[in-house]
Amino acid sequence: MSLFPSKSRLAHIVFEHDDKSSKTFDVVLLIAILLSVIIVILDSVAELRYNYGHIFYALEWAFTIVFTVEYALRLWLSKRKIGYVLSFYGLVDLLAIVPTYLSLVVLNTQFLVVIRSLRLLRVIRVLKLGRFLKDAEFLSEALRASRAKIQIFIGSMVTIVLIAGTVMYIVEGPESGFTSIPMSMYWAIVTLTTVGFGDITPVTSIGKFIASLIMLMGYGIIAVPTGIVTSEMTQANNRRKLAKARMCHNCDKLTFEIDAAYCKYCGDKFPEKK
Amino acid sequence: MSLFPSKSRLAHIVFEHDDKSSKTFDVVLLIAILLSVIIVILDSVAELRYNYGHIFYALEWAFTIVFTVEYALRLWLSKRKIGYVLSFYGLVDLLAIVPTYLSLVVLNTQFLVVIRSLRLLRVIRVLKLGRFLKDAEFLSEALRASRAKIQIFIGSMVTIVLIAGTVMYIVEGPESGFTSIPMSMYWAIVTLTTVGFGDITPVTSIGKFIASLIMLMGYGIIAVPTGIVTSEMTQANNRRKLAKARMCHNCDKLTFEIDAAYCKYCGDKFPEKK
Amino acid sequence: MSLFPSKSRLAHIVFEHDDKSSKTFDVVLLIAILLSVIIVILDSVAELRYNYGHIFYALEWAFTIVFTVEYALRLWLSKRKIGYVLSFYGLVDLLAIVPTYLSLVVLNTQFLVVIRSLRLLRVIRVLKLGRFLKDAEFLSEALRASRAKIQIFIGSMVTIVLIAGTVMYIVEGPESGFTSIPMSMYWAIVTLTTVGFGDITPVTSIGKFIASLIMLMGYGIIAVPTGIVTSEMTQANNRRKLAKARMCHNCDKLTFEIDAAYCKYCGDKFPEKK
Amino acid sequence: MSLFPSKSRLAHIVFEHDDKSSKTFDVVLLIAILLSVIIVILDSVAELRYNYGHIFYALEWAFTIVFTVEYALRLWLSKRKIGYVLSFYGLVDLLAIVPTYLSLVVLNTQFLVVIRSLRLLRVIRVLKLGRFLKDAEFLSEALRASRAKIQIFIGSMVTIVLIAGTVMYIVEGPESGFTSIPMSMYWAIVTLTTVGFGDITPVTSIGKFIASLIMLMGYGIIAVPTGIVTSEMTQANNRRKLAKARMCHNCDKLTFEIDAAYCKYCGDKFPEKK
């Protein structure tokens, strides 16, 4: 970052991504975020903390100060200060620095680790730019489009999980590890999602039989979300193609080929595209 | 719910979903169903039953009485009483109240829990309304369309499971846990569906080799149901999308919302659909 | 089956599926096949064999005689006897009766069980008829079409499995259960197919890291066969639609809408469909 | 291979694949590669090495010499020697022979096994030719097209894995096997990919609950890569199919084989493609 730049220049460096110094800022920020996250991860490994705990601690504070400066900078530079503070990114930025300061006053610092790891979300802001945006939009578009279908699917899943869980709880009983309906539902989810930890498994013949049916069901069900998302994506792809469709002003029928010059239904000539 | 409404008013509240009081009725019912199901679940947890068993028992009866009143109400209000009683919803409504009363006479109340958990199915009636219907129809349509294909698929699965199970039973034998063909078929299902509990696993080299082939097969097979459902959905999607598309005669842009009356790009009014 | 029918009548009953008695024959045969297979399965359960072994043995012989009679009948009725004997169905029919007779002379009857279970394949002949045929053809068509792609996929899988297996064998070593490359390859298949028995799992940190990469890879790879089959199926669906396409005799361009009356490229009128 | 052929003839045999002797060369090479890889695999099995170690050792050297001769041959025959040596295939060819020679000087020969197994990559060169090429291109095309989307997906996966891992590490703690965040992330990957080894599983109720959510998430997420690849493939497919379609001017039926010169329905000759 250039030395003592004007406020407007600083704002450009911080908020824009179109010239050299602003790009440098983004890259430096990206690296800082990733490193700070990696430190959180490494610090959780007992032997590493034992050996390098003090280094991690120092680095943790270093990054916190860097992020604090950045936060102050963004606050100072942004026109609508309240707007920034309450925005998604504003809160994520705040969550990135708060835990370290809290760790001075809070004794049980365990849960702070989770918040700390949320720092990774800050990467989004940097990745938001560039060629990813278009495809990210495409994906979220496809997922948003199939939201209702997915909700129905989840609903059916929950019902199946409850029924399956209850049945297995009755059939197998506590001695097989199906100690309660919640436990059985946990097993049902483990099974329906084809994860299959094997920490709880049916032991009775009838239990094994019902489990088999549940598994085959899960095997079939997995096709549904895939089908939903896939067809939505194909749809989204088609939509882009459709944007190039023509409608005949004479017979109101649609023609999809971009290079069509005549309506195929009534032979009417298309006007030049606007 | 308003006090002492007329019978026709009551019928409207109970069966319709279009005004405030009927909507309130639906929401109250929905909450009651979910709570009663949650109680069934919690009651199955030993320590919870030990501590709060009496509360669960009281609530269980409270909800049963509520549902009984509701059932009586529906019966009283419905024109075709027999029709209601024998309808799917009628039976589900009955199943929601019977177990609790039965628990007074029946000693082994275990299997009643399953019936009780079926209460969740009552949620369907409430969810049936609103925007879910359309998409639910869409899903079932896609599944119905590919029913025959799925039957063939299940058939092939069963054959593969039987052959695989028999082979593994011969190859591995009882000492590896493959104590019988049904047991081996259970293993084959666990493996082909990629659940992989690991409660039974091949130990001999040849068994491991055959298991590998079975796994790769299952890995390939999983593509089939997905393919079936997906292509069906894409088909169904295409049919709908086109029925919905409007093109603005003014700006030539496409609008997909079926109920659009004006072009969302230039605000030009659409002609009445022909 | 009617008593003492003429040979031609018998042939019709046995080979055709279009009138009452021939349909009855199919259904009876179907039930016989399924029952005989179920007996093979039940007979493999130790306690059941201990208690009902003699009944299973009697039924086994009963079905074998039934199938022998049927085989003789088919042989007698078929014009090209050699052709039938050497045909797929002829061999399957033979395999259905041979094991029982062999069990008289062969001491180790274990491997005969496998052949016996092959009886299930006979079901195909009966299911071959009716509405399933069309969809079965559709499925096999889609799979045949993507054969080459699937071969490439299997090839890549094998390479990945070998590399992954070798690496894990070096990294983890025998003490973790990765006793040899074949064993590691078995683990790699168990992992890549997302089956995950858990009979062998990495214990070292580096092993766990590599395993994670392998898992993520397998997670991504699973999309490929699905994609292949799905797009082929969509293709097959389109092809049927395409059969209704029109090509302009004037400009040789394709028009897909079945109800198109004019070429959309040059406005030329289509001839009436032949 | 013919005896003492001219250099140009040799070059043709080695580099081309269009006549008998060059095809023979490819096949012999293919078999040699596969055998040499199989030996590497078998040699890793303790009991086999104990019994046949000396044979494996001999064969290993035999194949190494064969490959060395081949490498020398390729080097001698290729016009741009440096270009060959530094090309992908050149390096793979070199890696196929180096380990055996290194094993004479290097004491710890363990890691050489990995390199040795890379020999399998040489198969690509042989398989590169023929009908596979087209479809391989098709697959890679589809994957390349969806590269950006897949990167975003991997990015989201990493974030989810980190958050999920951290949460489980806090919730479950070391006594359940979640000894550190990396360990928890390993568990998260095992779970999200639905592999589910079961070597680490949640034991606390809250842990099981969160695990259930993670599993359902993974179940939904798996739809995304599939959707991406599938819709890309469908796109790629459509592009190709249309380029291939011919319609008979005589019987108006479609023929999809790109190299079709006559209508397969009525035998009418196709006009030269415009």
Side-chain angles (χ1 to χ4, degrees), chain D residues 192-263:
Chain D
L192 275 170
T193 55
T194 77
V195 171
F197 282 135
D199 51 352
I200 311 169
T201 53
V203 292
T204 65
S205 301
I206 178 71
K208 283 187 157 67
F209 178 73
I210 294 169
S212 305
L213 296 182
I214 293 171
M215 278 177 254
L216 289 172
M217 200 184 290
Y219 194 64
I221 291 173
I222 201 166
V224 176
T226 313
I228 293 170
V229 175
T230 306
S231 58
E232 282 304 336
M233 282 188 177
T234 314
Q235 300 286 317
N237 248 337
N238 290 342
R239 269 182 248 103
R240 284 161 177 255
K241 286 280 174 204
L242 292 192
K244 289 161 99 176
R246 311 297 312 267
M247 181 179 264
C248 176
H249 286 206
N250 177 37
C251 70
D252 261 356
K253 290 217 186 69
L254 277 170
T255 303
F256 284 99
E257 291 66 29
I258 191 165
D259 52 357
Y262 294 88
C263 170

Side-chain angles (χ1 to χ4, degrees), chain A residues 91-109:
Chain A
L91 294 170
V92 172
D93 294 347
L94 193 61
L95 281 174
I97 53 180
V98 165
T100 321
Y101 295 115
L102 275 178
S103 63
L104 295 174
V105 289
V106 183
L107 291 175
N108 163 15
T109 63

